[in-house]
Amino acid sequence: MTTKSIAEQPLMKLALLLGLACSLAVLPSFLGDYYLHMAMLSFSAMLLGLGHRLLYLTGQASYGHGAFYALGAYVTAIGTTSAGMSAWSSLLLAAILPGIVAFALSAVAFRTRGAYFVLLSFGIAVVVHSLLTSLKGFTGGNSGIMNIPPLTGLSSVSHHYYFLGGVFIAVLSSFIILERSRWILELRSIGQSANLAASVGIPAQSNMTLALIVGASIAGALGGIFASYTTFVSPAAHTFWTSIFILTFTVVGGAAYMMGPIVGAAYITLVPLLFNWSQSLVGMFVAASIAAVMLVVPEGIVTTTITRSKRSKEQTPVADEVADVRGSDADLIERLKHAPGARRGGKLDVVGLSHSFGGLQTTKDVTFSAAPGECLGIIGPNGAGKTTQFNLISGFVPAKTGDLFLDGQRLNGLAPERVQQ
């Protein structure tokens, strides 16, 4: 049995999860409260990394997840101390409200790309921190909010440990199930080539919005849990460094594999705790870790290690064949084409299609029909407008005159991903 087939066995995954759950369950019998606290910080960091990875798969590096974590913490704090809400109700709101904020922000945020998106997400983190310090009537300003009641039924460190450990196992199980889903494939395809993804009907905006909402909700829920656990929140615990740490989990571990942010979170969280470093030393450690990763393992610790291992095995005649989970663009698109819900095509009618760039006429009165399975060729020299013709049909270039129909449905004016749906 190959390495790949073992990894894909549902019973094997279930056995590994049960083994992990049993191991975590017996830890309180051997560890004191301080080490259980360290384990809880690790659970939280790993979940934050997994939530952030969803958006990172699309090629967007967000500095805003720390702001969602802070929102969740303050929603729980204000809800239980000022609004008269129960701890569990406030925790539910702590998960929902950051998701709503993420949905509202996505309408503006995903109109930008690259460095502009990074700056925008960083601005969100700065604005949230400024609001926490300035809205003293609600947040207590720099003094924060004290005497936050714990979640009902959780009265000790071990109780909180078991609760957060259960949340960790549940979310991890969900992500394992999602890892081979069509949605994750679509997120990967957007990250590899947004235009190619749009050409096969994958909507970047809605996928990225959903990824941001899921990550924000996870961060908000974790913020609420830790607010109830520590019974105190303040702006000093929710600076922009929180967002940088969350991003670092994914960068250091690597985003191609789910284990990436888990390993990155454990490394960034546990090493400073074990050595009891100060905040300034932690910042230097994080910066040095990022620099070392970029130089030695540029795709992240897990991604680079697995990739190099596979290359080494490919050079050995008796090695098992292990497919790269990322795959090439062509392989990814092929998997999406055969995934459940993929469109199988229909009759295409092009009627009087014309387009020009300024005074240059690229296509003029193009008319033809193509039935499903029929092969047609467009022949012409360089600059004749062949590529423009394809872009007009696929929606990447809007047609100035003429009509496009697929199975009788007019395609004019639709976005590329809508054309393919």
Side-chain angles (χ1 to χ4, degrees):
M1 184 177 292
T2 65
T3 303
K4 179 181 178 181
S5 62
I6 290 175
E8 291 180 348
Q9 292 296 321
L11 291 178
M12 179 63 69
K13 292 180 178 180
L14 178 60
L16 292 173
L17 280 173
L18 288 176
L20 176 61
C22 292
S23 300
L24 296 178
V26 300
L27 281 182
S29 301
F30 302 96
L31 301 178
D33 286 352
Y34 176 72
Y35 290 102
L36 292 181
H37 175 72
M38 290 175 59
M40 291 173 61
L41 291 176
S42 299
F43 293 156
S44 177
M46 292 173 186
L47 292 177
L48 288 170
L50 287 173
H52 178 271
R53 171 181 176 259
L54 294 174
L55 185 61
Y56 197 84
L57 284 174
T58 68
Q60 299 290 356
S62 170
Y63 279 92
H65 278 62
F68 301 131
Y69 183 79
L71 283 175
Y74 270 86
V75 164
T76 296
I78 295 172
T80 54
T81 59
S82 302
M85 298 177 64
S86 68
W88 289 104
S89 297
S90 67
L91 181 59
L92 179 62
L93 185 61
I96 294 175
L97 185 60
I100 295 175
V101 173
F103 175 76
L105 291 174
S106 64
V108 177
F110 295 134
R111 295 181 181 180
T112 61
R113 292 291 188 273
Y116 297 101
F117 178 81
V118 171
L119 290 174
L120 179 60
S121 63
F122 180 76
I124 293 171
V126 173
V127 168
V128 168
H129 183 265
S130 299
L131 291 175
L132 296 181
T133 58
S134 60
L135 299 178
K136 298 181 180 180
F138 293 98
T139 66
N142 289 318
S143 299
I145 300 175
M146 297 183 292
N147 300 320
I148 303 170
L151 294 169
T152 306
L154 306 182
S155 57
S156 65
V157 175
S158 60
H159 289 168
H160 283 89
Y161 166 82
Y162 280 123
F163 171 67
L164 188 56
V167 172
F168 173 71
I169 293 296
V171 175
L172 182 62
S173 302
S174 301
F175 273 93
I176 290 175
I177 295 172
L178 279 175
E179 190 63 16
R180 292 289 179 175
S181 68
R182 179 180 175 85
W183 183 47
I184 297 298
L185 287 176
E186 290 186 352
L187 295 180
R188 292 183 185 277
S189 67
I190 294 169
Q192 291 186 18
S193 175
N195 286 340
L196 181 59
S199 69
V200 294
I202 298 174
Q205 180 85 10
S206 59
N207 274 304
M208 293 165 67
T209 298
L210 181 57
L212 182 62
I213 290 174
V214 173
S217 296
I218 291 174
L222 290 169
I225 291 172
F226 266 85
S228 297
Y229 166 59
T230 60
T231 70
F232 173 73
V233 294
S234 71
H238 299 282
T239 65
F240 67 92
W241 276 106
T242 306
S243 294
I244 293 177
F245 287 157
I246 296 173
L247 174 61
T248 304
F249 300 156
T250 308
V251 173
V252 170
Y257 299 89
M258 200 177 70
M259 281 299 298
I262 293 177
V263 172
Y267 170 74
I268 294 296
T269 302
L270 292 178
V271 171
L273 286 174
L274 290 173
F275 291 98
N276 196 25
W277 287 340
S278 65
Q279 187 64 37
S280 59
L281 284 177
V282 172
M284 294 175 60
F285 167 70
V286 171
S289 297
I290 294 175
V293 165
M294 294 297 100
L295 292 174
V296 182
V297 283
E299 292 183 307
I301 296 172
V302 173
T303 303
T304 305
T305 301
I306 294 178
T307 302
R308 290 177 180 175
S309 175
K310 289 177 179 180
R311 289 173 182 171
S312 176
K313 288 184 177 182
E314 288 173 357
Q315 296 173 0
T316 306
V318 296
D320 293 331
E321 294 182 1
V322 183
D324 190 344
V325 71
R326 294 171 298 163
S328 63
D329 288 349
D331 175 64
L332 190 59
I333 296 304
E334 189 66 22
R335 291 161 66 190
L336 285 165
K337 285 168 59 179
H338 293 88
R343 181 165 183 162
R344 303 309 177 198
K347 183 183 178 183
L348 174 67
D349 293 303
V350 179
V351 181
L353 204 61
S354 300
H355 189 77
S356 61
F357 294 100
L360 177 63
Q361 185 82 38
T362 54
T363 59
K364 183 178 181 181
D365 196 26
V366 176
T367 302
F368 67 88
S369 296
E374 182 180 0
C375 294
L376 298 177
I378 299 178
I379 302 174
N382 291 341
K386 302 184 295 299
T387 301
T388 300
Q389 183 65 49
F390 282 111
N391 288 337
L392 289 168
I393 295 173
S394 61
F396 283 99
V397 175
K400 293 187 176 179
T401 59
D403 294 293
L404 295 164
F405 299 93
L406 184 62
D407 280 343
Q409 179 183 357
R410 194 168 185 267
L411 303 180
N412 295 59
L414 295 180
E417 61 268 19
R418 293 289 306 281
V419 171
Q420 303 299 327
Q421 292 177 347

